[in-house]
Amino acid sequence: MRKINPRLHVTLIEPNRVFTACPFSNEVIAGLRDIAAQQFTYDKIAADGVSVVAQAAAGVDAQARTVSLADGTSLPYDRLVLAPGIDMRFGVLAGYDEAAAEKMPHAWKAGGQTVLLRRQLEAMEDGGVVALAVPATPYRCPPAPYERASLIAYYLKAKKPRSKILILDAKDIFSQQRLFEKAWKQFYPGMIERIPLSQGGRVVSVEPATNKLVTDFGDHEVQVANVIPPQKAGNIAHIAGAADRTGWCPIDAATFASKLVANIHVIGDAVIGGNAPKSASAAYAEGKACAAVVASLIAGTAPERPTIEGTCYNIAAPGYGFSQSGNYQPRDDMFIELLGSAFTSPANAPDELRRREAEQAKTWFKTITVETFG
C-alpha cells in the first residue's frame, strides 16, 4: 500500500519481532536446513515507511474503527486488513491440547514446534516408527504433510535406515498423490505406509503419555508422533467477528471485504477462498491484490478485479521437486480457477525437470522473502 500511495499512513500490528516462514520448514525438520534460514525481521518494512507496532491486537471495535492493543492503547483505522493465519482447534481431537502438542508436536506453525519435531527425530533410536496424523481438509497447505513424510524418510534413510513412517490419514485421496507415491517408490521403498480414511486411517484420539494414536480400526504406539489437528482462522479473526461458524472467514472475493464486518478485509489462509488454495503463494498474491483494492477504495476509485496466482511446490528429496499451480478470479463471492490455467507436474517427467522444479521452489522463496523483508 505504501508503494502504491506513499501518502497513506500504514501500520503493521505484529506481536512477534521475527517472522518464521513455513515454506521450506519441512527441510528444517529433516535436518537439511537451519531454522535461522526461515527467520526474518521487519526492519525493511519499517524503513519503507510502515509504522511497525510490536504488540498483539487485543480487540477490534468495528463501529469506532479502532484496534485495541495489549498495552491498553488503541489505534484508529479507515480500513483494517486482517492476516490471521491459522490456529489449531485444540480439543476437537480427543486428548490433543496445547500440553499434548509439547509431546506430540504439530509443527504446523514454523518455529519452536518445528525444532521440537526435529529434535525428537534426532533422539529416536534406529528402528523406531514415526507417525503423521493428517486431518481432513480444510487445513493450511494440503500437500505439506506428504512433503514432510518424504523429507523425514530422506533423513531416516540416511541416519536411521531401519525406521519406518506411518501416515494416518483422515482422507482417501490427497493433492498430487500420484507424484508423491511415485517418489516414495523411487526413493523410499518400504519405508512409508499410508492408511487412508476408508481403511481406518482417521485418528480419533491420542494418548500423549504413551505416544499412542487411536483410529477407528486400531491403536498405534509409536516413537515419534506428529499430530496435525483440525484448524481454524487465527484468533484475531474471531476477536474481530470476521469468522463464521465454520471457523473460517467469508469474504467478497472481489475486494477481500469481510461479509460479516464492515471496513475489514481478510487475506491468507484464514479465508473461505473457494478454489484458491490455503498456500503461501496464494496468500502472498492475496496480500498484493488486497493492497491495490484498499488503496483504490481509500482514493475513492473503483478497484480492479484481482487475479490470484497460486503455486504449491513440493520437495520429495533434495533436488527432486514438483508443483501444482493455477490462476483464480472472483465469481459469486468465491475464487474460481480460470479455465486453462491449471498446471500439475507430469507424473512421468524426467529427473531433470524434477531438479529444475526444486530449484524454482528455492528461487520463488528467495524472491518473495527478499522483496518483503530485504
Side-chain angles (χ1 to χ4, degrees):
M1 283 189 277
R2 285 281 301 173
K3 289 177 181 177
I4 294 167
N5 183 354
R7 293 176 297 173
L8 290 176
H9 296 283
V10 181
T11 300
L12 174 65
I13 302 170
E14 167 57 63
N16 299 306
R17 294 184 181 274
V18 172
F19 175 81
T20 306
C22 282
F24 282 93
S25 63
N26 282 335
E27 292 197 359
V28 176
I29 293 168
L32 295 167
R33 189 178 180 91
D34 193 79
I35 191 69
Q38 302 296 112
Q39 296 178 324
F40 306 88
T41 72
Y42 296 95
D43 294 346
K44 178 180 180 293
I45 294 173
D48 285 342
V50 174
S51 175
V52 179
V53 176
Q55 290 194 52
V60 175
D61 186 330
Q63 282 196 320
R65 296 196 197 181
T66 59
V67 177
S68 57
L69 305 178
D71 67 357
T73 62
S74 64
L75 297 172
Y77 66 83
D78 294 303
R79 295 274 173 173
L80 177 64
V81 178
L82 299 179
I86 54 106
D87 277 341
M88 308 303 136
R89 296 180 65 190
F90 289 117
V92 172
L93 178 61
Y96 197 72
D97 55 18
E98 292 186 61
E102 295 304 308
K103 181 75 188 304
M104 309 170 96
H106 54 77
W108 221 241
K109 288 186 176 183
Q113 283 268 306
T114 311
V115 175
L116 175 59
L117 182 54
R118 174 174 173 171
R119 288 174 177 166
Q120 288 185 351
L121 292 171
E122 291 171 341
M124 185 184 76
E125 293 185 3
D126 191 10
V129 176
V130 179
L132 282 76
V134 182
T137 52
Y139 60 85
R140 166 182 280 172
C141 198
Y146 313 100
E147 179 192 71
R148 178 172 294 180
S150 304
L151 293 178
I152 290 175
Y154 176 83
Y155 168 77
L156 295 178
K157 183 178 178 180
K159 303 292 187 180
K160 304 178 184 190
R162 295 189 295 113
S163 300
K164 305 288 183 183
I165 295 174
L166 177 64
I167 302 174
L168 300 171
D169 207 333
K171 303 181 296 302
D172 276 327
I173 59 175
F174 62 91
S175 177
Q176 302 180 75
Q177 183 168 348
R178 287 182 62 200
L179 291 161
F180 277 109
E181 290 178 344
K182 185 175 185 292
W184 295 344
K185 185 177 180 180
Q186 177 177 345
F187 293 105
Y188 318 115
M191 289 191 70
I192 300 174
E193 177 187 2
R194 175 177 173 266
I195 303 177
L197 172 66
S198 59
Q199 296 177 24
R202 181 175 69 100
V203 174
V204 295
S205 66
V206 299
E207 297 177 12
T210 57
N211 254 18
K212 181 188 289 186
L213 300 97
V214 180
T215 69
D216 291 319
F217 289 3
D219 300 350
H220 302 270
E221 286 194 19
V222 300
Q223 283 61 58
V224 174
N226 172 207
V227 178
I228 306 167
Q231 295 154 33
K232 61 181 179 178
N235 189 46
I236 187 60
H238 299 270
I239 289 173
D244 65 14
R245 292 181 180 180
T246 68
W248 305 99
C249 301
I251 60 168
D252 172 1
T255 62
F256 303 92
S258 168
K259 287 187 175 182
L260 303 179
V261 192
N263 301 306
I264 289 180
H265 305 258
V266 191
I267 55 174
D269 294 340
V271 305
I272 300 172
N275 294 140
K278 294 186 185 300
S279 72
S281 62
Y284 179 70
E286 289 170 24
K288 282 192 163 185
C290 185
V293 165
V294 171
S296 292
L297 292 172
I298 290 175
T301 60
E304 294 184 7
R305 189 181 184 202
T307 298
I308 302 303
E309 300 177 5
T311 301
C312 291
Y313 289 104
N314 296 283
I315 308 299
Y320 188 98
F322 44 84
S323 66
Q324 187 174 41
S325 63
N327 295 333
Y328 310 87
Q329 279 194 333
R331 186 191 303 165
D332 299 328
D333 293 335
M334 289 285 184
F335 282 108
I336 304 299
E337 189 171 67
L338 294 176
L339 187 65
S341 71
F343 169 81
T344 299
S345 299
N348 296 316
D351 286 347
E352 175 57 25
L353 177 60
R354 300 284 184 245
R355 185 195 64 76
R356 287 205 308 269
E357 291 218 68
E359 288 301 315
Q360 287 168 4
K362 293 179 183 179
T363 300
W364 166 80
F365 182 75
K366 183 176 181 180
T367 298
I368 65 167
T369 53
V370 168
E371 182 175 331
T372 306
F373 300 107

